[in-house]
Amino acid sequence: MRLRRLDLRAVDPEGMAAARTERTALVRRGAVPEPAIRVSARATLADVRARGAAAVRDANDRVGGGRPDGRLTVEAGELRSARDALSPPIRRALDQAIANISRFAETQLPASTRMQILPGIEIERRWTPLRSVGAYVPGGSAPYPSSLLMTAVPARVAGVQHVVVASPAGRDGQMDPVVLGAAGLLEIDTLLVAGGAQAIGALAYGLDEIGLAPVDRIVGPGNAWVTAAKIEVCGEVGIDLPAGPSEGLVLAAPPADPRRVALDLITQAEHGSDSPALLVTTDAAFADAVEREVDGLLAGARRHDILARALTEHGRIVLTASLDDAIDFVNDYGPEHLSVDVEPLEPTVERLRNAGSLFVGPWAPESAGDYATGANHVLPTGGLARSSGGLGVEAYGKYTQVQRVSREGLAAIRATVETLADAEGLQAHRDAVARRFEDER
């Protein structure tokens, strides 16, 4: 397979202008779904707000994701049974993943701070876990118990009181037994069987008919309709971030192994037919070798059609004149997943500012982080890694400012408050301070 190439090395002026245009399109791609999808999601959300559970069931019937009998939640007893029915290898894998995610999440617990600004003025920044969180876990064409762990474990570590998981049933109308078992292991409070925009609407607005209250924040990855719906509801409920198609970039050059690089590109393409997979390198011969390895791996791949479409439509090889130029491209692109296998390794990693998660060296495949290292795999896409980080414990709580001011403290800042209030023409603000002292006479 010949991947599309973007050659950023010195070429003729006309060719360089075209290359710069393509570079700009790549790095400014965005994570927000197209307008038609947002309109569709908005209509589904309005229906869920108006009709509640009936609208969710209707949407499940129309686009998939529901159970044949229309039940929207899974009973706690069913989750416990699924947990107990897990095979020993699956149970061990889930247990290790939960343990590793928990260990890393525990290091992220925010602390409250309290300090005296002046005598009589004390400010506290108090961190408090959210009351309830809704975690969206993709499903349908493929189950993702790993995403359930990545969204629910940090919630438990943070101390969230009520964790609701929304996940669609498979095409046969059945829930994946490993997803159910993982939910049982984590003692999820409510498991909602729904997908797409209808699931986001149920989490955001609640479903009185089944006793589901609105959550305080929605987290987790999803398809374009899930992302569009999260954007629409974020004025009423918190969200982690709008996540577009999963994407990966490999920064590699000799002496890296072309086969390992090809494996990482194939791994990224396996996320879906709309998943970008890019190789950035300074060596054209190395790029050729990687392409040959990709061809060999594709020949026997189980998800060949998805892989081939992703690589054909969204795969790229970016050639740069120097490692400095390669690093500049990567930082401008801001990939969700970034695999790094170049020399010098660690000095290069130190210069890479914008990525959701970095995988350093030849023994750090993306799939290690997707499942078991303990790092979270819910990450910014579409270039949002330039300004946002991956899902962490801090997303499951909030800070509240607490200001304690005594007479002595207010007297110390009285002139400042009155002067600035006058400058802004806000007399009531000025009087709220001044008249407190006048009342003492």
Side-chain angles (χ1 to χ4, degrees), residues 66-68 78 168-177 180 193:
R67 284 180 152 184
E78 188 176 347
R171 291 171 178 166
D172 60 357
Q174 303 301 312
M175 290 296 293
D176 178 72
L180 293 179
V193 184

Side-chain angles (χ1 to χ4, degrees), residues 5 14 16 25 43 59 70 82 99 103 117 137 145 198-199 248 260 307 350:
R5 295 201 178 193
E14 183 178 345
M16 181 52 74
R103 287 182 64 192
I117 303 297
V137 175
Q198 64 269 27
R260 288 178 177 174
L307 296 171
E350 290 300 315

Side-chain angles (χ1 to χ4, degrees), residues 7-375:
D7 195 338
L8 298 176
R9 299 171 298 178
V11 293
D12 64 90
E14 183 178 345
M16 181 52 74
R20 286 174 179 161
T21 298
E22 185 176 352
R23 183 189 194 280
T24 299
L26 280 174
V27 301
R28 306 305 302 179
R29 60 207 179 279
V32 177
E34 61 186 49
I37 292 176
R38 295 190 65 176
V39 169
S40 174
R42 193 176 300 131
T44 298
L45 292 169
D47 194 26
V48 173
R49 186 197 287 275
R51 297 196 300 122
V56 176
R57 291 188 182 97
D58 287 348
N60 280 347
D61 289 343
R62 185 171 64 253
V63 300
R67 284 180 152 184
D69 60 7
R71 283 187 298 140
L72 291 178
T73 58
V74 180
E75 300 296 330
E78 188 176 347
L79 296 181
R80 288 192 294 269
S81 296
R83 173 199 63 195
D84 295 341
L86 290 169
S87 69
I90 291 289
R91 177 66 181 263
R92 286 193 297 271
L94 290 173
D95 284 341
Q96 185 181 48
I98 290 170
N100 291 351
I101 296 166
S102 296
R103 287 182 64 192
F104 189 48
E106 285 163 2
T107 69
Q108 304 165 25
L109 275 168
S112 298
T113 58
R114 187 168 174 168
M115 71 173 296
Q116 180 178 280
I117 303 297
L118 293 169
I121 300 178
E122 185 179 83
I123 300 179
E124 178 185 359
R125 192 167 187 250
R126 180 189 298 164
W127 191 83
T128 308
L130 300 179
R131 176 187 58 84
S132 63
V133 167
Y136 187 84
V137 175
S141 61
Y144 289 94
S146 59
S147 291
L148 192 153
L149 305 187
M150 296 291 177
T151 51
V153 171
R156 292 302 190 204
V157 170
V160 173
Q161 296 176 25
H162 193 79
V163 180
V164 181
V165 170
S167 188
R171 291 171 178 166
D172 60 357
Q174 303 301 312
M175 290 296 293
D176 178 72
V178 181
V179 170
L180 293 179
L185 277 173
L186 294 172
E187 298 181 345
I188 296 302
D189 298 293
T190 303
L191 179 58
L192 176 72
V193 184
Q198 64 269 27
I200 301 303
L203 295 174
Y205 309 138
L207 300 174
D208 288 341
E209 306 93 319
I210 63 172
L212 178 63
V215 300
D216 296 323
R217 177 169 289 160
I218 300 171
V219 301
N223 63 19
W225 283 266
V226 170
T227 300
K230 286 170 70 176
I231 293 171
E232 293 297 326
V233 302
C234 72
E236 298 179 62
V237 61
I239 66 170
D240 50 355
L241 46 82
S246 181
E247 58 191 27
L249 186 153
V250 181
L251 174 59
D257 179 354
R259 181 173 177 81
R260 288 178 177 174
V261 171
L263 286 166
D264 290 339
L265 292 173
I266 292 284
T267 296
Q268 179 54 49
E270 192 174 36
H271 282 289
S273 59
D274 56 354
S275 289
L278 282 72
L279 167 64
V280 178
T281 186
T282 57
D283 191 308
F286 178 77
D288 294 339
V290 171
E291 280 186 323
R292 289 192 293 271
E293 294 291 348
V294 167
D295 266 341
L297 292 169
L298 274 179
R302 179 181 299 179
R303 290 163 65 89
H304 177 274
D305 291 347
I306 290 175
L307 296 171
R309 183 176 173 188
L311 292 169
T312 299
E313 297 182 7
H314 304 285
R316 291 287 195 288
I317 291 176
V318 179
L319 293 167
T320 64
S322 67
L323 181 58
D324 288 343
D325 290 346
I327 291 171
D328 287 343
F329 177 86
V330 173
N331 282 329
D332 287 346
Y333 187 86
E336 177 189 18
H337 306 100
L338 172 57
S339 300
V340 187
D341 194 359
V342 296
E343 297 295 341
L345 183 58
E346 289 298 339
T348 299
V349 170
E350 290 300 315
R351 297 173 61 192
L352 294 167
R353 302 185 308 275
N354 300 333
S357 200
L358 279 79
F359 301 83
V360 180
W363 293 97
E366 177 195 322
S367 47
D370 280 347
Y371 294 110
T373 63

Side-chain angles (χ1 to χ4, degrees), residues 355-427:
S357 200
L358 279 79
F359 301 83
V360 180
W363 293 97
E366 177 195 322
S367 47
D370 280 347
Y371 294 110
T373 63
N376 207 293
H377 77 201
V378 181
L379 303 165
T381 66
L384 288 178
R386 292 188 296 266
S387 60
S388 305
L391 185 64
V393 172
E394 63 274 7
Y396 296 87
K398 61 183 177 64
Y399 284 101
T400 303
Q401 290 185 165
V402 182
Q403 304 180 60
R404 295 178 173 88
V405 183
S406 69
R407 185 194 184 286
E408 178 189 18
L410 188 59
I413 60 173
R414 175 182 177 181
T416 296
V417 174
E418 292 179 4
T419 299
L420 293 177
D422 277 339
E424 294 184 354
L426 300 178
Q427 184 176 357

